[in-house]
Amino acid sequence: MNMTSWSKAIVLLAACLGAGPFAFAQSQSADVATVTERKQGDGVTLVSPDGRIEFQLKIQDGKLIYSVSKSGEVVLAPSRLGLRFASGKDLDTDFIIGDVSRNISDETWEQPWGEKRLVVDKHSEVLVTLLSAKDQTPQFNLRARVFDGGVGFRYEVPDTGARAIVDELTEFSLDPASLAWWTPAGEFNRYEYIYRTTPLNEMERAHTPFTLKLPNSNTHVAIHEAALVDYSGMWLDQRRAGVLEADLAPRHDGVKVRVEGAFDTPWRVIQIADDAAGLINGSDIYLNLNEPNKLGDVSYFKPGKYIGIWWGMHINKYTWGSGPQHGATTENTKAYIDFAAENGFSGVLVEGWNIGWDGDWFNNGDLFSFTQAYPDFNLPELSVYAKERGVHIIGHHETSGNITNYENQLEAAFDLYEANGIPAVKTGYVADGSDLKFIDAEGHPRYTWHASQERVVHDLHVLKRAHEHGIAVNAHEPVKDTGLRRTYPNAISREGARGMEFNAWGTPPNPPEHQAILPFTRMLSGPFDFTPGIFDLMPNGEDDENRVPSTLAKQLALYVTIYSPIQMAADLPENYKKFPNAFQFIKDVPTDWEQSIALAGEVGDFVVMARQERGAENWYVGAVSDENAREVKLDFAFLDANRTYRAEIYRDGDSANWETAPYDIAIDKRIVTSQTKLGLKLAAGGGFAIRIVPVEAAQIESLKPVPAMKKVVLENLGAPHIPERDVTVLVPAGYDASDDRYPVIYMHDGQNLIEPGRAVTGDEWKVDETLARLIAEEKVRPAIIVAIEHGQERWREYAPEAFLENLKLAVKDESQTPFSDDYLSFIVEDLKPKIDAEFRVLDGAENTFVMGASMGGLISLYAVSQYPDVFGAAAGLSTHWPLVDPKSVKPKKAIKAIQKSLSAGGIDASKHRFWFDHGTLNLDAHYPEYQKRMDGYFSKRGFGAENYASRMYDGADHNEASWAARLEDPLIFLLGK
């Protein structure tokens, strides 16, 4: 603190004390002052360092009452304080105020990891001794701290022996017309409920953090607690309209809390902000109300990203239990380790590796072993395999809520993980909300609540023992975070709200607004292992209720808007391979931050977050929306004013919508500075994610926006035997300003190539964007694309007649007879002359190519065979070699028929070039055997590496999204310089 700010603090302290002389004793830190007053009568006032928030304490009819205001606005009306016990004297009335001690503090401390590296703790404090009005003996102390962003207070009760708390009287009296966002507490499903948005007076019993907006201003308030240690978690129960009372989760015996000797309650916290974003930016209050790190060195934990054998169980690809679909096998885990190593992920979570998952594991907590693996899982072998590849295993301990069974095995379980170099464990307590099981001292089974004192004590025991073994803990079905990670930093993350898995099987799944509520509610308390990054947004099919209500871009944005020092790439590896360009953001985004700023947002509508990478100048911005589309004005003023940056923007495409076009994503690059202001659209259920990297002047020129291709639509083209259809011609940027001539690619399935709104599946190939980028990067020659829409009878147009004739496949119905010869004749005799006449094209087969996917790949090959002097090259993506349903024809027979036709055609290795590829999923999984036979055929015909390519894309599917993801490769093959 400099002299000016220190002087202001002294003035502020004087204002807190009122008029008259006072003295203060300065502590060893120059940032703290202490003043003790003697018996101030019926009231005490404490104000925040900036003078805006005021906390008042007074005695009214012998009862202890407090209130809170902000800049004169009532935030909490007079509210009662006190404690009641099962026996002995209650602390609920008959008070007078005794000694009053005051401090001011202004310090900065460093987190080992977190939303920000440096945390400022600046507050005013008062410690008030409450005396008995009858005999003026001390009853307890109330300690309050007022920050610029809110108030925290706690009870500090002297030793009076063993006591049982049956009621905490703490009230929060709020305007009942306030708008509240909350989830029900004291229910079977713990914290995992959809948020409700209601007037405050319609709230029932709620979890904290509990967020509301006052009715006559934009003031936002969140009520929560800090430093929950050896006490029960607090729910909020609305007793009268607007009057919320602390309701403590009960122990197994019905008592709320049992204490021995002197005790402190957790801090009761009222966060206050001028707007919704201010709540996020003020959430340091919870950390600051906790004690500093008690563990010491926690460098065994390193923030990072992980993948896991997890989502596959939720979508029924794998099982937790043993059997033919067992997910946690040595072989499967090695594949995940390989994928992690290839993509820069540090960890692989493995669930279902240990004995106990078979049968009804939900009610099977007694049978879980935390050291004995299933026979098909070899932990020591996998640990070595992972270490050799720079990856570590993340352990998993599912307890099914059986505390005693877990604690009995805790040392052996942590010994096993420590011996195998496992630095983190995900714990689980899947059980109904009041069914946590433990065995008491007499050997009787007892059942308690997830937020009870017994669970709180258990969790702290687990953290301490884990630390002794160099292990960090990510708790699922947890006790809520209360900032205790400052004191015990190996508490790295946790659940505590509905996560991604509810989209796989929850009824109903999380609504689109869910991720726009979390940052203002659950996320105020600390990190959330939400498990984002699902790329197959409809794992159960398009018509299933359970799908991910999100666009692809929103899944990327969640890595910024939802904080955790360990972030999961939650989908299956094969699904990331379909979208390599989007996946790049997940590979790039860090999980540890220098600073974090909520730029804008409204609870349940949208949020925009900016975070600076720890130890770097890179920034990341994420934004998510609810079910409504909207535009966000993004101001880059948070950037260094002296630097220039490259912004890599992953945004919703023009037609993106979580219901109708979830995969429509656009990826742009542009130069930005601190002066840049940019409007970005969020689709319904959408989002955007931005990576911002400093660049030098020499790099800026190459980052100018890619010039777009020009689109010309030729309407209603056809031939005598070919139904009319539109043909779209794409010409390169600068076409109108030059006399250059260009090669031409004729492409089938024109509906699917350019506009997602017209694509059959909703996913476009992005031909215009990909080719424009390749031209700008000088990877290919500028070219013209002729996108030919297919007619109503696509198979009949694209099924090569000669191939089918050689296959001797009888057509049962004359209406199914193919007319592909007429279709090719239309292209060569009708369409091509029109293109040649109206556009500047290069002559010759060496400049004329044909391309398509599936049956479009087959007709492209057929076109070169039938018109060898017209087409010089063809590209077939996922070429459908079987011609029909693969189950109805044998590969050898189909390929023989195709080869016979090709041999009779005009294919020539000295004139022609061919590209073929396929994926490994669904229909594409049938193609490798066909492709191998075709590769041998072309090799015998004299084709080699210079004019023939055959590629396999592991994890790619038979769909437009997969073809768009690899389109760059065949375009470079056809047009490369």
Side-chain angles (χ1 to χ4, degrees), residues 51-323:
R52 299 183 68 209
I53 296 177
E54 183 177 280
F55 172 86
Q56 290 188 331
L57 193 70
K58 65 179 180 179
I59 305 299
Q60 183 175 304
D61 298 328
K63 299 172 184 174
L64 187 61
I65 304 294
Y66 79 103
S67 60
V68 178
S69 62
K70 174 179 75 76
S71 300
E73 177 186 21
V74 174
V75 176
L76 265 74
S79 304
R80 190 175 181 184
L81 298 170
L83 298 168
R84 287 176 178 161
F85 301 90
S87 61
K89 182 177 171 63
D90 291 330
L91 301 177
D92 61 349
T93 190
D94 186 35
F95 295 122
I96 60 171
I97 292 176
D99 291 349
V100 177
S101 298
R102 298 179 183 268
N103 289 331
I104 57 174
S105 178
D106 187 353
E107 66 170 339
T108 299
W109 56 276
E110 183 172 355
Q111 297 194 83
W113 50 266
E115 303 93 321
K116 59 180 65 174
R117 182 172 62 87
L118 299 176
V119 179
V120 175
D121 181 1
K122 187 176 182 179
H123 65 262
S124 308
E125 179 183 276
V126 66
L127 180 66
V128 181
T129 299
L130 281 307
L131 307 177
S132 167
K134 293 180 180 178
D135 56 17
Q136 299 200 6
T137 57
Q139 300 297 293
F140 71 96
N141 294 333
L142 188 91
R143 188 182 300 271
R145 291 177 181 171
V146 183
F147 302 77
D148 291 345
V151 174
F153 61 85
R154 73 181 182 191
Y155 304 87
E156 298 180 0
V157 182
D159 184 358
T160 55
R163 307 185 78 177
I165 300 174
V166 295
D167 196 7
E168 180 179 327
L169 300 178
T170 306
E171 290 180 346
F172 306 88
S173 296
L174 298 142
D175 190 321
S178 300
L179 183 63
W181 295 269
W182 58 284
T183 56
E187 303 287 340
F188 85 94
N189 213 23
R190 306 167 301 273
Y191 302 94
E192 296 174 350
Y193 290 91
I194 291 173
Y195 275 89
R196 304 179 187 179
T197 304
T198 68
L200 175 59
N201 60 12
E202 294 179 14
M203 187 207 89
E204 299 160 10
R205 184 167 58 183
H207 279 300
T208 68
F210 169 77
T211 299
L212 55 90
K213 179 177 178 288
L214 298 185
N216 299 315
S217 70
N218 200 36
T219 298
H220 284 67
V221 178
I223 299 173
H224 189 41
E225 57 184 318
L228 174 57
V229 179
D230 199 10
Y231 205 82
S232 291
M234 179 181 71
W235 302 328
L236 295 174
D237 190 14
Q238 185 160 218
R239 299 299 176 90
R240 299 180 300 282
V243 180
L244 313 182
E245 183 175 318
D247 187 7
L248 305 180
R251 294 163 47 93
H252 79 280
D253 55 9
V255 170
K256 298 301 178 70
V257 179
R258 290 194 178 274
V259 296
E260 294 279 348
F263 68 94
D264 298 339
T265 69
W267 295 88
R268 292 356 188 164
V269 185
I270 304 101
Q271 247 195 287
I272 306 166
D274 293 331
D275 54 28
L279 287 179
I280 300 173
N281 294 328
S283 60
D284 291 346
I285 189 171
Y286 305 110
L287 293 171
N288 284 326
L289 288 169
N290 276 268
E291 295 182 48
N293 180 1
K294 288 184 175 181
L295 297 182
D297 182 14
V298 289
S299 60
Y300 51 82
F301 170 70
K302 302 289 191 298
K305 296 184 290 289
Y306 71 102
I307 60 171
I309 300 174
W310 175 78
W311 183 246
M313 277 80 93
H314 288 288
I315 61 173
N316 298 317
K317 178 177 182 178
Y318 303 130
T319 59
W320 281 280
S322 62

Side-chain angles (χ1 to χ4, degrees), residues 683-960:
F688 64 75
I690 308 176
R691 178 176 182 248
I692 306 170
V693 182
V695 295
E696 304 303 326
Q699 298 174 282
I700 294 175
E701 185 64 26
S702 65
L703 294 171
K704 289 182 177 178
V706 174
M709 299 189 76
K710 178 182 176 182
K711 183 170 66 174
V712 180
V713 179
L714 307 177
E715 297 180 339
N716 303 322
L717 299 186
H721 301 292
I722 298 298
E724 291 183 346
R725 81 279 313 281
D726 290 348
V727 173
T728 300
V729 181
L730 298 172
V731 297
Y735 176 88
D736 295 331
S738 75
D739 296 324
D740 293 343
R741 293 184 173 273
Y742 302 93
V744 181
I745 303 178
Y746 289 85
M747 295 187 67
H748 312 292
D749 290 314
Q751 293 98 321
N752 300 330
L753 303 181
I754 303 166
E755 299 178 13
R758 302 198 62 227
V760 174
T761 64
D763 297 317
E764 53 157 331
W765 285 40
K766 301 182 185 293
V767 172
D768 50 342
E769 297 169 34
T770 301
L771 182 54
R773 177 175 55 80
L774 293 175
I775 293 170
E777 294 172 354
E778 299 185 352
K779 292 181 178 179
V780 299
R781 295 183 290 161
I784 293 173
I785 297 289
V786 179
I788 311 164
E789 296 189 4
H790 63 249
Q792 301 258 332
E793 299 174 288
R794 179 178 179 272
W795 185 85
R796 296 182 67 195
E797 286 189 349
Y798 291 176
E801 293 182 37
F803 293 1
L804 288 169
E805 183 178 343
N806 291 331
L807 186 58
K808 298 186 173 16
L809 191 68
V811 178
K812 297 179 181 179
D813 186 342
E814 189 174 330
S815 66
Q816 296 302 311
T817 303
F819 51 86
S820 53
D821 286 351
D822 287 337
Y823 173 67
L824 290 183
S825 176
F826 158 69
I827 294 174
V828 173
E829 305 296 336
D830 297 280
L831 179 59
K832 185 176 182 300
K834 183 175 181 66
I835 298 299
D836 292 347
E838 297 184 16
F839 298 90
R840 296 193 309 278
V841 302
L842 288 169
D843 296 329
E846 67 275 15
N847 295 304
T848 308
F849 315 126
V850 60
M851 182 177 181
S854 192
M855 291 298 293
L858 211 56
I859 194 66
S860 297
L861 168 62
Y862 189 55
V864 178
S865 172
Q866 297 295 96
Y867 295 93
D869 296 328
V870 175
F871 301 107
L877 285 68
S878 298
T879 304
H880 190 59
W881 300 112
L883 286 93
V884 290
D885 184 346
K887 297 176 183 176
S888 64
V889 62
K890 293 182 179 179
K892 184 176 180 180
K893 184 177 180 181
I895 291 300
K896 259 182 107 174
I898 293 171
Q899 292 175 358
K900 182 178 179 181
S901 173
L902 295 179
S903 297
I907 289 177
D908 186 338
S910 67
K911 298 179 181 178
H912 300 126
R913 295 181 296 128
F914 291 96
W915 168 283
F916 297 109
D917 68 32
H918 61 83
T920 57
L921 299 181
N922 297 317
L923 197 55
D924 274 31
H926 295 278
Y927 297 158
E929 184 177 354
Y930 293 90
Q931 189 62 58
K932 184 178 180 180
R933 293 175 183 271
M934 290 305 302
D935 292 347
Y937 171 81
F938 276 97
S939 178
K940 290 178 181 178
R941 294 289 297 263
F943 286 83
E946 73 284 354
N947 59 4
Y948 187 83
S950 177
R951 303 277 181 86
M952 182 186 78
Y953 292 84
D954 188 31
D957 207 338
H958 192 91
N959 57 31
E960 277 71 20

Side-chain angles (χ1 to χ4, degrees), residues 570-618:
D571 210 338
L572 307 178
E574 55 263 33
N575 290 332
Y576 291 125
K577 294 176 181 178
K578 300 176 190 177
F579 302 95
N581 294 335
F583 186 49
Q584 185 61 48
F585 182 84
I586 297 180
K587 294 199 290 185
D588 288 337
V589 66
T591 63
D592 197 17
W593 305 103
E594 183 70 23
Q595 56 180 315
S596 298
I597 308 168
L599 300 177
E602 294 293 343
V603 186
D605 293 341
F606 75 102
V607 66
V608 186
M609 287 293 305
R611 303 188 195 268
Q612 183 188 4
E613 182 177 356
R614 186 164 179 161
E617 296 183 85
N618 301 340

